[in-house]
Amino acid sequence: DTEVTQTPKHLVMGMTNKKSLKCEQHMGHRAMYWYKQKAKKPPELMFVYSYEKLSINESVPSRFSPECPNSSLLNLHLHALQPEDSALYLCASSRTGSSTDTQYFGPGTRLTVL
Amino acid sequence: SQQGEEDPQALSIQEGENATMNCSYKTSINNLQWYRQNSGRGLVHLILIRSNEREKHSGRLRVTLDTSKKSSSLLITASRAADTASYFCATSGGYQKVTFGTGTKLQVIP
């Protein structure tokens, strides 16, 4: 199974809402990633978890809060977002987090902030 | 900041033709990867080339890497309509962090 699943597929939220994005993989991978992708732009790295510990935070605003409950699950908690945070949020996983690893991407969550 | 700049930004070809897209980057890298993204979907890994390699093949894909020029190219031969997608190079200079280039949007016309 080389699948990374993400829920929900689409999310519309107001600026005062609290919501969470979920990502799951069952490939035994020990690194998981969150990316943000605006329209017609490349994915931009937000966070990396390695062996369930946060190893990279690309200076992401605190209104985005990642969580890795176990090696298969990755959440992104959202609170007090701005309209400019509307984007496709992609989750990925890789075997160890090495730069030579293939990253496996989920289909993404399309987020709209009103 | 983005590591790779790709050109062309968009490319439209007829089915059966070859498609070439280029990636230039700014700093030293350990390896360079190419990914494909169908519209609004997740990315799919295509191929990885290490910094000590000059050329690599995988099926209809041919990747070259010139570290002296800090550039790479992806050639797709005998293109198919199903190859229509955006293609991104991704560079890595260190552990864990991969930076994606600006992307080339390829349209293959049946």
Side-chain angles (χ1 to χ4, degrees):
Chain A
D1 182 7
T2 58
E3 189 180 23
V4 175
T5 58
Q6 289 186 244
T7 55
K9 290 185 179 179
H10 300 275
L11 179 62
V12 179
M13 60 186 291
M15 288 190 286
T16 59
N17 292 157
K18 284 186 180 180
K19 296 286 184 183
S20 297
L21 310 184
K22 296 185 185 302
C23 174
E24 191 167 3
Q25 56 88 15
H26 295 288
M27 294 177 276
H29 288 174
R30 303 312 300 270
M32 296 186 78
Y33 310 75
W34 279 115
Y35 289 88
K36 173 183 177 179
Q37 186 178 27
K38 302 283 278 185
K40 299 183 180 180
K41 297 289 187 183
E44 293 182 355
L45 183 66
M46 300 174 71
F47 302 104
V48 181
Y49 271 85
S50 179
Y51 294 84
E52 296 151 54
K53 292 191 185 327
L54 183 65
S55 57
I56 293 179
N57 176 342
E58 289 288 282
S59 302
V60 179
S62 60
R63 57 185 185 270
F64 295 91
S65 176
E67 178 196 19
C68 189
N70 59 57
S71 60
S72 299
L73 293 173
L74 184 66
N75 298 321
L76 186 63
H77 302 297
L78 313 173
H79 174 54
L81 295 194
Q82 304 296 311
E84 59 264 29
D85 296 323
S86 298
L88 181 68
Y89 287 84
L90 294 164
C91 172
S93 70
S94 72
R95 195 169 57 87
T96 66
S98 165
S99 62
T100 57
D101 282 356
T102 294
Q103 291 191 25
Y104 293 83
F105 282 80
T109 293
R110 177 75 59 187
L111 174 67
T112 302
V113 182
L114 300 176
Chain B
S1 62
Q2 289 170 195
Q3 174 75 299
E5 296 286 332
E6 294 182 57
D7 85 277
Q9 289 187 348
L11 179 61
S12 183
I13 60 173
Q14 296 289 327
E15 200 166 31
E17 294 179 339
N18 295 343
T20 300
M21 50 205 89
N22 304 294
C23 169
S24 60
Y25 56 91
K26 296 174 185 172
T27 60
S28 298
I29 60 171
N30 292 340
N31 61 73
L32 186 144
Q33 304 183 52
W34 286 89
Y35 284 81
R36 183 188 75 216
Q37 184 178 33
N38 289 83
S39 180
R41 304 289 291 171
L43 283 77
V44 175
H45 181 261
L46 297 176
I47 196 166
L48 177 150
I49 186 165
R50 297 176 190 269
S51 58
N52 61 355
E53 296 176 308
R54 292 296 168 257
E55 187 171 314
K56 203 161 181 181
H57 296 255
S58 176
R60 295 183 297 112
L61 305 180
R62 173 178 168 254
V63 169
T64 63
L65 179 64
D66 187 335
T67 52
S68 66
K69 295 181 179 178
K70 292 187 169 58
S71 68
S72 173
S73 68
L74 171 68
L75 168 67
I76 304 173
T77 60
S79 64
R80 305 167 182 168
D83 295 328
T84 294
S86 291
Y87 291 82
F88 295 93
C89 65
T91 54
S92 174
Y95 185 68
Q96 294 191 335
K97 185 174 176 180
V98 168
T99 305
F100 288 88
T102 52
T104 292
K105 189 169 184 178
L106 173 65
Q107 181 185 25
V108 181
I109 302 166

